[in-house]
Amino acid sequence: MFTRRSLLGGLAALATLTAGVANAETVLRFSNWVPMTHPLSSDVMVPWAKEVEEATDGRIKIEFVSPLGAPPAHLDIALNGIADITFIVHSYTSDRFPLMELGELPFVAPDSRTASLAFWDTYEKFIEGAHEHRGVHLLGAWGHGPAHLFTGSKEITSLDDLSGMKIRVAGGMSKNAGEGLGVVPFFAPSSQSYEVISKGVADGILFPTESVYNFKIGPAIKYALKVPGGLYRSVQGIIMNEGVWDGLSDEDKEAINSVSGKHLAALAATMWDTQDALGEEELTKAGTKFTTASGEMLEAIHAKLEPYTEAWLDAGNGDIDRKAAYDYFLERIAYYEENPEAED
C-alpha cells in the first residue's frame, strides 16, 4: 500500500535521479595520432578540450586515447563512430575534399594565422554548404604555416638542381608541388622522414619549418629554400561523429561552438607561427642554411605551380563559385595582414 510518506519518498528519489541524469557528464573519446608531446597536441588539442569542458560547465569532457588507426584512417574512424572525435589532415583523403584544397594553394599567405582565419571565413561563406564533411561535424579547420623545400646534402640554386631528386611529399597540393617542381615524389610517414633522408633514400622534404624541427629531421637537413607565401599548406581539422554531435543538447552545441570554429583556427595558427619561428631559429643555430627564393628562381617556381591554382579554379561541376571563393579568400588574407589582431 502506498502511503503519503512513501509517495513523497519516491518523488524525492526520482528528483534526485533526474538531477543526476541532468548533471551527468558526457565523455567523448578523441583518437589522436599526433604525439601528446607535439605542440599540436599540447598547445592546441589539449587546451581546446579544456575549453570545451569549461564552456559546458563540465557536462562534456574529452578523453584522449591512443590512435585507433593510421593517420589517413581517422576520417573514417570518426565517420564510423569508432571514436567520437579525431584530428584529420584533409590531404590524406584529398579525393573526398576537393573544395578544401582551396586552403592548400601556393603563394597565398606569409603565415598560418592570416591564411587560417581567412580560410575559415571562406569555408563558412562558400564551402560549408557543399557538405563535403558528410557524416561528421567539422569543429574547426586551419592551415599550417607555409611549406618550403628542405634538402640534405645539396643546396638548390635553380630548378635544374631539383632534376632527379627524391623529395618526400604528402598528398594533395604537397604532391602537386613536388611534381610541378620536377622532383621524384617520395612517400613516407612524417615519423620516418629523418631516417629516409639521413640514409640517402630521399634527398629532402617539402614541409613547414615547424615540422622539420619538431619531427627532429633537422640533423639530416643542411639547406632550406624558403618560398614567399609557401609552396603549399595542409588544411587540418578536428571532426566529431555526426550522430554524436546531433545527440548533444542545443546548449552544449552552442557552448562547444563558442570555443571552436574561428577561435580554434586562431589557436592552432598561433601554435604554427610560434613553432615556425622557433624552428627556423633552432635549425639555423644547428647549421641549416636558409635562403629565400627570389628573382628568376622565384619566377620559375611560380610558373611551375600557378597552373595548379588555375586547375582548381577550373575544376568542379558547379559545386560552388570557385572564382568567387578564391577571390574572397585572398581578400580576407589581405584584411588579416592589415589587421593582425583582428579575429572578426
Side-chain angles (χ1 to χ4, degrees), residues 321-338:
D321 186 336
R322 293 192 175 205
K323 180 63 166 59
Y326 178 70
D327 289 344
Y328 182 76
F329 183 38
L330 296 185
E331 288 173 11
R332 296 307 289 169
I333 287 172
Y335 171 77
Y336 289 115
E337 283 192 81
E338 295 172 3

Side-chain angles (χ1 to χ4, degrees), residues 261-299:
K262 190 183 290 188
H263 173 82
L264 178 54
L267 179 66
T270 297
M271 180 281 295
W272 280 113
D273 289 338
T274 300
Q275 291 296 317
D276 273 343
L278 175 64
E280 181 167 348
E281 179 182 348
E282 293 300 319
L283 290 170
T284 300
K285 287 180 182 178
T288 298
K289 179 182 177 181
F290 280 79
T291 58
T292 300
S294 61
E296 291 184 2
M297 182 190 293
L298 183 58
E299 291 177 4

Side-chain angles (χ1 to χ4, degrees), residues 7 63 68 72 95 128 156 234 236 251 264 284 301:
L7 178 60
E63 175 189 1
L68 301 177
D95 58 320
E128 185 175 16
I156 306 304
S234 290
Q236 309 166 342
E251 180 182 10
L264 178 54
T284 300
I301 292 172

Side-chain angles (χ1 to χ4, degrees), residues 179-191:
E179 291 177 344
L181 294 176
V183 306
V184 178
F186 184 89
F187 297 92
S190 300
S191 58

Side-chain angles (χ1 to χ4, degrees), residues 98-112:
L99 296 178
M100 297 296 282
E101 195 172 83
L102 168 62
E104 301 194 351
L105 297 177
F107 315 128
V108 296
D111 55 26
S112 174

